[in-house]
Amino acid sequence: MTTNPNPGMMALDDLRVLEIGDERGAWCMKLMADMGADVIKIEPPEGDPSRQYEPFVDDEPHHERSLFFWYYNTSKRSVVMDFDDRSNADAFMKLVESADVILDTDTYDPIGRLGLDYHQIMTDNPGLIWCTITNFGFGSSRDDEPHTDLTLAANGGFAWMNGYDDHSLPPVRGGGQQAYHTGSNYAFMSILTALLHRDATSVGQHINVNINGSVNVTTEAGSYSWLVSHSTVQRQTGRHAGVAPSMPSQIKCADGRYVNTGIPPRRPREFGLVYQWLESENLLDELPEAALLQVGAELESFSLADVFSGNNEELLAIFGAGREAFDLLASKLTAYEFFTKAQNFGFQVGVIHSPEEALEDPHFVDRGMQVKVEHPELGREVIYPGAPYQLTKGSWGITRRPPLLGEHTDEVLGELG
Amino acid sequence: MPHHVKSKALSHLRICDFTGQLAGAGATKFMAAFGAEVIRIEDPTNHGRWDILRGMPPYVDDRRGPELGGPFNNHNVGKLGITLNIKTEKGRELFERLVGISDCVTENFSSGVLRSWGYDYDRLKELKDDIIYISNCGFGHSGPYEKFKTWGPIVQATSGLTMSSAIPDQPPAGWGYSYMDHTGAYFMAMAIMLAIHHRNRTGEGQYVDVAATEAALTLNGPVLLDYTVNGRPLRREGYPDANHSLHPAMAPHNIYAAKPVPGSFDEAWIAIACRNDEDWHALRDVLVADGCEWASSDDYGQLAGRMAAQDKLDSQIGEWCMRRDPFQSAELLREAGVPANAVQTPEQRIDQDVNSAESKLWPTIRQTEMGRVRVDGIPARFTKTDWSMTRGAPVLGEDNDYVYGELLGLSESEIAGLYEEGVL
């Protein structure tokens, strides 16, 4: 077990973790490493395959310049080990015996290639938590199939959910590798669950996390509409897929960027507020229907069912005026202005930021979401995204830049003696 | 401990739970499946309706009401439920006693709600010195947008995930559901368990501020570093391009229209990805054997050529995909070693994919009013403390007798009196 002179400095800095796998598990291991766990990434001699992935620093391909590798491997140490050389079995076993947690992705098979006995390892290390991420789960008849993030997103339901009102356009996978992320998120939750059990009992165990399953249970109404009532949701542009079509909720603003309008005005108080907003922008003259908003603001409470039934024409007209007011305001304001002004009036509206715009948004900057990490070999300080959660004790941090290939081989094997 | 709990992984933990909807409820649902005693507190004066999902569709039959919402049941499986009017003096006293025997207090109200009731971290710590208090709201409990309101789509919009889910020359497609309610809950569960492990080591509790937008921001992936290091924004000509793969570069890599599946919808789609030249050669051989001579073009032999001609390649593969339904094509391709899969409908992935049954992903639980219904399970198997789900979401006050009687030691007549006074 690792020793730390300052226990409690980071929530997981009492843990030694071995990462033996590919990109499917790298996110889980980054989450652990950034909470202080001593994550040792065991790489083959040629390096983790993702070291060859785009994008590269200055677009110069090199295994130490992959920004993909950097993103997923902060705070880790790198040890190179050739599993085809059985003389490494002793060193591997020493690493295993030093570990609290092992994560693998059924990629490299160190047990088979080094001639080791998995059951003996688990028996000799009763506190060891070993988590294996697979595409379909142990014993599945599908587990030998070739897949990627895209095909798992298609199989598990992400793709069905996302896309456009125009169904001649294809379903959309979603940005980033969210199928892999979701598998990794479940792996981390599972490891923490086993860890709390071990805290209480000293007993470890093996866990198998299934990426296809992870995607399947991360589709909200996609799954439960089928499970509960055998109904099927259909994709719609920029809003929830639905069993029945719903109103658009994405508007293009004056600067060509989009906002998500969330739930437009639908309460008397909200009709009053959107009227005030129009007034404050001097736009009342441009919207004849604004008078209806004043009527809406004076209404006693009403049932939304009356609106959706379509039988109450006055209510429908008032709701329509609310939407037209949003459309008009959006046509006069930038997306960011529309967002902040709407929110200050109490409407749940969101500017549709690109990832880099989100990273530079004043709110996230204020909350510390830009974290600077030194890359001395390149003479650069690089901004990474910050903490996914803010613990006030034992908190998150990037403890070191992503490792060079084999940077810590001698150091780690030396520590083990 | 109520008898339905099977896993012992977290059975030593008790959570005093104000979470709701999915962004919060999903976190404690996960922990309940592993045996944590999650006590869901609901307001009797509005029938627990701060959680709007309580009465929302889908429904199992023609009945409607706050005990019958399908999503509420799905997200609250295995939890205990009590009613408590925290605006009353006795209600506050009972809540404070409950905090005193709990490990965590969890909530996903808008920022400041629990504080407005008089319960911030300092007050909770007075009630129990090592208490862990975890809030989860869209923008967190500090910063310029602290008072802004969100739900899943707003979290996804402001964090970059909506924008990056698009194909070229189209507006954002976004996520067709609250991906970040699910995933915000995952990060909340991680945060709860991280704080408990910290407490186990040091004896100290803490406050944890989870902002779903920040969890979302970290999920954007390498495009963020492409910007901070190379100055290349995702908002540029021809992007986002979510069905292609730039990181890592792969081609072909897309979702193609296919021949409809008999008896299903009149549209069908197949995802195909070639990870490397070897995959392409395998795909090429399938195509050539099926009469597509174009596939043997030297232009496509290597990745750079396929990336450069991606649009043409897509249209050629797209024509081939219309020959068969996506299940037939995907099987043909996977047998050749090429990653491929139908874009499955909910019915196909839940009831027709052999993996659902193999992984026992959709347990049938019993909810007191709804009866037997299937729910989202957990995509993991543990050798010693595996999860289980047997009981559905609690109906209002379903566990009042257990919590107030057995845990807090109130007598039957005292509990009856609390109902009469409107406390429960």
Side-chain angles (χ1 to χ4, degrees), chain B residues 345-358:
Chain B
T345 66
E347 178 181 18
Q348 288 160 352
R349 66 186 166 81
I350 292 170
D351 282 343
Q352 295 166 8
D353 186 334
V354 62
N355 192 240
S356 285
E358 287 170 343

Side-chain angles (χ1 to χ4, degrees), chain A residues 307-322:
Chain A
V307 183
F308 299 136
S309 73
N311 296 330
N312 186 325
E313 284 183 21
E314 185 188 34
L315 270 180
L316 276 179
I318 291 167
F319 272 62

Side-chain angles (χ1 to χ4, degrees), chain A residues 172-361:
Chain A
V172 179
R173 160 174 72 146
Q177 296 199 332
Q178 306 302 340
Y180 289 169
H181 284 167
T182 303
S184 261
N185 289 338
Y186 265 103
F188 188 31
M189 289 191 285
S190 299
I191 289 168
L192 287 168
T193 301
L195 180 65
L196 297 190
H197 179 251
R198 192 182 82 151
D199 285 352
T201 64
S202 303
V203 175
Q205 59 186 312
H206 193 280
I207 303 161
N208 177 212
V209 170
N210 163 348
I211 298 174
N212 173 54
S214 303
V215 175
N216 260 288
V217 299
T218 307
T219 68
E220 210 188 9
S223 290
Y224 61 65
S225 295
W226 183 258
L227 293 170
V228 175
S229 63
H230 277 194
S231 48
T232 301
V233 300
Q234 302 274 356
R235 63 192 187 276
Q236 308 189 89
T237 306
R239 62 195 189 280
H240 275 56
V243 175
S246 63
M247 296 288 283
S249 65
Q250 197 162 270
I251 312 180
K252 195 183 227 180
C253 293
D255 59 351
R257 299 187 181 188
Y258 288 87
V259 289
N260 183 304
T261 58
I263 301 164
R266 61 176 190 173
R267 304 276 178 217
R269 185 173 162 275
E270 292 170 347
F271 295 127
L273 286 170
V274 75
Y275 185 89
Q276 280 177 38
W277 185 10
L278 287 167
E279 194 171 31
S280 70
E281 303 287 344
N282 292 318
L283 290 173
L284 285 176
D285 292 345
E286 294 190 37
L287 189 72
E289 297 87 345
L292 283 166
L293 297 170
Q294 285 179 298
V295 175
E298 299 301 320
L299 288 174
E300 298 294 321
S301 65
F302 53 84
S303 159
L304 287 174
D306 282 352
V307 183
F308 299 136
S309 73
N311 296 330
N312 186 325
E313 284 183 21
E314 185 188 34
L315 270 180
L316 276 179
I318 291 167
F319 272 62
R323 287 181 178 277
E324 285 184 33
F326 268 25
D327 287 343
L328 177 63
L329 286 157
S331 74
K332 304 288 184 183
L333 300 169
T334 67
Y336 186 76
E337 288 169 341
F338 185 91
F339 160 60
T340 51
K341 290 186 177 195
Q343 283 279 3
N344 282 319
F345 274 102
F347 294 107
Q348 285 188 42
V349 162
V351 60
I352 297 179
H353 273 325
S354 66
E356 64 275 4
E357 289 156 4
L359 191 64
E360 294 187 333
D361 184 288

Side-chain angles (χ1 to χ4, degrees), chain B residues 286-308:
Chain B
V286 171
L287 293 167
V288 170
D290 208 23
C292 297
E293 283 305 324
W294 57 262
S296 53
S297 162
D298 289 344
D299 294 348
Y300 294 153
Q302 293 183 322
L303 176 65
R306 296 193 302 279
M307 290 296 284

Side-chain angles (χ1 to χ4, degrees), chain B residues 63-81:
Chain B
R63 293 172 299 153
R64 302 289 180 266
E67 310 296 14
L68 298 162
F72 178 82
N73 177 58
N74 191 66
H75 308 329
N76 291 284
V77 170
K79 301 178 190 178
L80 306 184

Side-chain angles (χ1 to χ4, degrees), chain A residues 18-21 40-48 77-96 98 108-111 113-114 116 405-410 412-414 416:
Chain A
L18 304 184
E19 175 183 347
I20 314 168
I40 296 170
K41 188 179 184 86
I42 303 182
E43 301 189 59
E46 69 277 16
D48 183 286
R77 298 200 282 175
S78 165
V79 166
V80 163
M81 189 173 282
D82 182 356
F83 294 146
D84 288 329
D85 179 352
R86 289 211 172 183
S87 71
N88 285 322
D90 283 351
F92 181 78
M93 280 306 299
K94 279 184 183 165
L95 273 172
V96 168
S98 76
Y108 295 122
D109 186 24
I111 300 293
R113 288 159 70 193
L114 292 172
L116 301 171
L405 177 60
E407 182 178 358
H408 307 97
T409 305
D410 293 344
V412 169
L413 298 182
L416 296 170

